[in-house]
Amino acid sequence: MTQNTCFIFKSCQFSPQDHRVTLDYGYLGGTSFTETLIFPGARRDFSDIEKQALDKLLHALHLAAGISYYKAFCPSEIRVDNQTLSPEDAAFFTKFYLHGLGEFAVENNLDLRETIQFPLNRAQRSIASPVELKESAVVPIGGGKDSLVSLEIMKHGQRAYRPIAINAGRPILEVIDSADAPAPILIKRHLDPALFTLNDQGAYNGHVPITGILSFIMAFASLLYGYDTVVMSNEQSANEGNMVRDGLDINHQYSKSLAFEQDFNRYVTGHVLAGFRYFSLLRPLSETGIAVLFARAPRYFPTFKSCNRNFHIAEGERRYGWCCDCPKCRFVYLALAPFIGKAGMSAIFGQDMLDDPAQEDGYRELLGLKGHKPFECVGEIGECRRLLKSLALIPEWRTCYLIDKLSRDIPEPGQPLDDLRQAALRKYPDHNLPADYERLLDDFIGS
């Protein structure tokens, strides 16, 4: 389709009076799109230097959010009509699109290495705005266990914060309510329906680096709501990829990885907004370590939800609860089982997933015994193996069908429960935590 051979970043606007951002895109001679974001309760009045900072943030957000529309046809020509890109801009977004669409490329049998290239329009370096941000923190809430652990760490350390969420549905609102948290910031993002029409007509579709897109939204919102720090809840396990293809490490969790966190920090603070802070409070821990800490907070057991069917982009296809038939459900069940116990897990999930023969192939993928690591936000293969072998040492779990069967195929040893818990809470050294937040984490682990 010749009209889809060039993707265009057309324009972007922010209207303070109605708290609205519009992002315009299109294909040359083809479909046009307008994405809308609403920031309820945001500020309306800004100084001249703040307006300049908002403009830089808005243009960065425009480039990041465009990935949802670019993927419909993935043309080799990218045109940016409303700004000129520095070498830093072009390099960052070329990498963001290439790695962020890694899983998408695998699933659609595409090689995008020579395709994605943002145009370099000017030689001079882009300079970050020096606007002074209010010293305050937000914690993004996704409805699952990880962000709730971050909330508990902030509360334990008596650190002021506000929850923040984009397109918060029932699970997110319920966990915020159960956390007895301050009033949340609730942002609305509306994708253009024309994108779904193209998908129905056969355009490419698949995974995008949603955490990366949301990170740019929260950077833009920092001036609107008055905060300088975004406390993420991504863990060490997110760094492990799913496979290598065409020389690229394909990682479903690319925009949750330390590599993205470091790139995002360097780009935003160096070229967009100097005083902005962005880091993951849980980066020093594995998924298993987070499971240990989450098991200390039973008040969240009835409300937290990690199954992605709760968060389907199409509201009509969302399903509340745990489907008990996807990689996310399987992994969360495995990670929490040693620390919550069989009765508690059955109360949360409604069944014993580790005693269900129908789950065998799915667990074999998690354990590295079949195929590749699932394209989902799940733990490392090594820690999944350690968890299952450790469950085989616990009397109430060892007779479960899948534990009894699959443990025979795993040569690595398990650990007694106390040893597993202690090992899981040892911190990894690679992280971006400021010293004061690392102390918060240490105090909570030791509490």
Side-chain angles (χ1 to χ4, degrees), residues 8-277:
I8 307 169
F9 292 84
K10 293 183 173 182
S11 64
C12 54
Q13 293 182 325
F14 171 52
S15 173
Q17 295 311 305
D18 58 5
H19 309 125
R20 182 184 299 267
V21 161
T22 54
L23 308 172
D24 295 320
Y25 311 94
Y27 285 94
L28 185 63
T31 307
S32 293
F33 312 93
T34 297
E35 178 168 317
T36 305
L37 295 112
I38 307 295
F39 299 85
R43 292 171 57 194
R44 287 191 169 95
D45 298 314
F46 302 92
S47 67
D48 287 343
I49 191 171
E50 287 175 331
K51 290 177 182 177
Q52 293 170 9
L54 281 170
D55 188 64
K56 293 183 72 68
L57 289 161
L58 177 62
H59 282 83
L61 170 57
H62 189 211
L63 295 174
I67 197 169
S68 297
Y69 306 94
Y70 170 83
K71 70 174 173 56
F73 296 103
C74 298
S76 58
E77 184 178 357
I78 295 174
R79 200 174 89 192
V80 182
D81 284 355
N82 64 330
Q83 60 176 305
T84 57
L85 303 191
S86 70
E88 296 83 11
D89 298 326
F92 176 86
F93 285 103
T94 295
K95 182 177 182 181
F96 179 62
Y97 275 51
L98 179 62
H99 288 271
L101 292 175
E103 175 185 337
F104 163 89
V106 170
E107 294 189 326
N108 289 282
N109 196 28
L110 299 171
D111 183 353
L112 300 177
R113 289 174 298 169
E114 302 299 324
T115 300
I116 297 172
Q117 186 62 56
F118 273 75
L120 173 62
N121 305 114
R122 58 187 167 91
Q124 68 267 35
R125 179 180 185 272
S126 54
I127 305 299
S129 171
V131 67
E132 187 171 334
L133 296 168
K134 178 182 177 182
E135 290 187 14
S136 182
V138 293
V139 179
I141 305 299
K145 67 186 188 316
D146 298 2
S147 55
L148 294 174
V149 170
S150 289
L151 284 190
E152 288 300 299
I153 294 171
M154 297 291 281
K155 289 162 64 177
H156 181 267
Q158 299 182 327
R159 187 64 65 98
Y161 73 94
R162 285 185 73 182
I164 188 170
I166 292 103
N167 290 350
R170 175 181 168 185
I172 292 175
L173 296 175
E174 285 187 353
V175 296
I176 291 174
D177 185 63
S178 65
D180 193 24
I185 296 169
L186 301 176
I187 299 167
K188 293 290 186 180
R189 180 188 183 213
H190 302 284
L191 291 163
D192 192 315
L195 177 62
F196 307 123
T197 300
L198 285 181
N199 294 151
D200 291 340
Q201 293 172 351
Y204 292 128
N205 197 11
H207 177 74
V208 296
I210 185 62
T211 299
I213 298 170
L214 301 184
S215 297
F216 276 97
I217 294 173
M218 290 184 290
F220 179 81
S222 64
L223 270 169
L224 305 188
Y225 294 103
Y227 57 83
D228 67 341
T229 301
V230 176
V231 180
M232 299 296 286
S233 302
N234 303 320
E235 71 293 324
Q236 188 73 203
S237 306
N239 298 332
E240 182 183 73
N242 301 79
M243 62 167 63
V244 175
R245 185 180 185 227
D246 296 329
L248 291 178
D249 181 31
I250 307 300
N251 186 356
H252 172 83
Q253 301 190 80
Y254 161 69
S255 62
K256 290 186 175 183
S257 69
L258 179 61
F260 172 79
E261 182 180 316
Q262 291 171 330
D263 287 345
F264 181 78
N265 262 319
R266 279 192 294 266
Y267 177 70
V268 173
T269 60
H271 309 290
V272 184
L273 187 62
F276 184 71
R277 297 204 302 176

Side-chain angles (χ1 to χ4, degrees), residues 367-383:
L367 297 165
L369 300 174
K370 177 182 179 180
H372 60 77
K373 180 182 173 183
F375 282 136
E376 253 300 354
C377 296
V378 297
E380 298 168 288
I381 289 172
E383 69 178 316

Side-chain angles (χ1 to χ4, degrees), residues 153-154 156-157 281-282 284-285 293 296 425-428 431 433-447:
I153 294 171
M154 297 291 281
H156 181 267
L281 182 55
L282 305 183
L285 297 176
L293 298 179
R296 298 178 183 176
L425 292 177
R426 294 192 193 109
K427 296 189 305 178
Y428 289 79
H431 58 78
L433 278 184
D436 56 334
Y437 278 87
E438 187 170 7
R439 286 193 295 272
L440 283 183
L441 177 61
D442 290 340
D443 290 345
F444 187 76
I445 289 173
S447 63

